[in-house]
Amino acid sequence: MSAFHTIGVVGAGMMGSEIALVFALGGHPTLLADQSRDAAERAIERLHGVLDRGLPRGFWTAEAAEAARRNLTVADGLDAYGDRDLVVEAVFEDEALKRDVFRRLDAILPPGAGLASNTSSISITTLSASVAEARRARFVGTHFFSPVSRMRLVEVIPAADTDASFVESVAETLTAIGKAPIRVKDVVGFAVNRLLHALVIESIRLVEEGVCSPADLDAACKLGLGHPIGPFELMDNTQNSLSLSVHEILHQAYGERFLPRPLLRQMVAAGYNGRKAGRGWHRYDGNGKRV
């Protein structure tokens, strides 16, 4: 049985909404909030579409999908989270924003509730300092991977003061909803993003040098390395501005090996941010389909 029952997710973007979805599929009553109720409601509508598309492909049963629809609820704001056992933060990758969310949640949640961050690169110990000392034992990083409804891996990152039993409880809960948690030390970028963005930066360098096109490199990674998606497709799906932000954070921590590439800076400055913008490394129609 899961150590947590009621779940809250803050941030209804692509990551946050699907994090809410997998908890709901796992049988947890789940609240989802964003900057506005409308944004969260639109995210729930998208999730209903994800559930529908996943049924013919056997990703979940019709019974699980129907239960997930019942379990997903829009929250008007963080004040609704006062009865949550565990809240996962999945807002934009900005330290000041995340710290503000945690300070607000710390004042709302009951003493025994836990907090988790889906940050991909910011120190969990740094974020945990946003809450009162008594809460820091129940603060952890849970780095999910996109698309969350399909990707099983979750990096579980304890902060300096996180209690080992709390880490185990979070890992057990993740396993119960079908995820595969691995424990990672609290270092900038954790494990997977350091590997991934070394590949991404070298991929961009190859394009800058005229060695290959983005489309050919995507094909090479899928057909030659067995990756489910190429690096340029991935950047377009998660937004190029996010990749640039991560590279800047990694560069600050580790130096020249993660120096952001000039071409990526140009793409972001031009507004070529990926699928949602209609153009990134590839072009997309109004429905987000590649053309």
Side-chain angles (χ1 to χ4, degrees):
M1 182 177 292
S2 171
F4 308 99
H5 180 55
T6 56
I7 304 295
V9 178
V10 182
M14 182 175 65
M15 291 296 293
S17 61
E18 288 216 356
I19 290 170
L21 176 63
V22 295
F23 278 110
L25 281 165
H28 296 273
T30 304
L31 287 178
L32 179 64
D34 205 277
Q35 290 181 322
S36 70
R37 182 179 180 87
D38 285 348
E41 288 178 341
R42 288 195 298 271
I44 295 290
E45 290 177 7
R46 290 196 303 272
L47 293 180
H48 289 175
V50 172
L51 289 169
D52 291 340
R53 290 191 297 274
L55 283 170
R57 303 169 74 179
F59 292 135
W60 36 75
T61 65
E63 293 77 11
E66 187 56 36
R69 295 178 200 274
R70 294 193 301 270
N71 285 330
L72 285 167
T73 305
V74 170
D76 286 323
L78 298 188
D79 288 342
Y81 285 61
D83 65 344
R84 299 294 97 176
D85 298 326
L86 178 69
V87 177
V88 181
E89 166 276 314
V91 302
F92 185 72
E93 193 74 351
D94 177 87
E95 183 178 327
L97 176 60
K98 290 177 182 291
R99 290 175 68 102
D100 180 64
V101 168
F102 285 124
R103 280 192 293 267
R104 293 168 61 195
L105 287 169
D106 189 33
I108 293 166
L109 293 176
L115 285 167
S117 176
N118 183 55
T119 179
S120 61
S121 56
I122 301 170
S123 164
I124 303 303
T125 298
T126 298
L127 293 176
S128 73
S130 308
V131 304
E133 188 170 352
R135 181 92 58 191
R136 294 176 193 173
R138 299 178 68 77
F139 193 108
V140 73
T142 51
H143 181 211
F144 291 79
F145 290 81
S146 182
V148 179
S149 56
R150 300 272 301 279
M151 302 291 280
R152 293 186 63 212
L153 181 67
V154 182
E155 291 180 305
V156 178
I157 309 102
D161 296 328
T162 308
D163 189 275
S165 64
F166 178 68
V167 176
E168 186 61 29
S169 294
V170 170
E172 288 174 358
T173 299
L174 292 169
T175 300
I177 65 171
K179 297 304 177 186
I182 63 170
R183 181 165 172 165
V184 179
K185 183 179 178 181
D186 184 21
V187 295
V188 175
F190 314 132
V192 174
N193 261 357
R194 285 175 61 177
L195 289 170
L196 169 63
H197 286 286
L199 171 71
V200 167
I201 288 170
E202 188 61 24
S203 298
I204 299 170
R205 183 181 283 111
L206 286 168
V207 171
E208 289 175 335
E209 294 173 356
V211 176
C212 282
S213 69
D216 284 342
L217 282 167
D218 281 342
C221 287
K222 289 186 287 187
L223 301 178
L225 300 179
H227 294 183
I229 189 171
F232 296 97
E233 293 170 316
L234 179 62
M235 282 189 283
D236 276 356
N237 286 346
T238 58
Q239 299 192 73
N240 288 310
S241 58
L242 177 60
S243 291
L244 179 57
S245 176
V246 172
H247 295 176
E248 288 171 339
I249 291 169
L250 293 172
H251 178 233
Q252 183 177 14
Y254 301 114
E256 291 301 302
R257 57 183 160 144
F258 288 108
L259 179 68
R261 298 307 307 164
L263 182 55
L264 178 59
R265 290 191 185 277
Q266 291 173 359
M267 296 280 287
V268 172
Y272 301 160
N273 210 24
R275 185 181 299 275
K276 287 185 178 180
R279 181 172 177 182
W281 301 100
H282 306 292
R283 292 179 181 269
Y284 304 88
D285 65 19
N287 296 315
K289 184 178 179 180
R290 186 171 160 185
V291 294

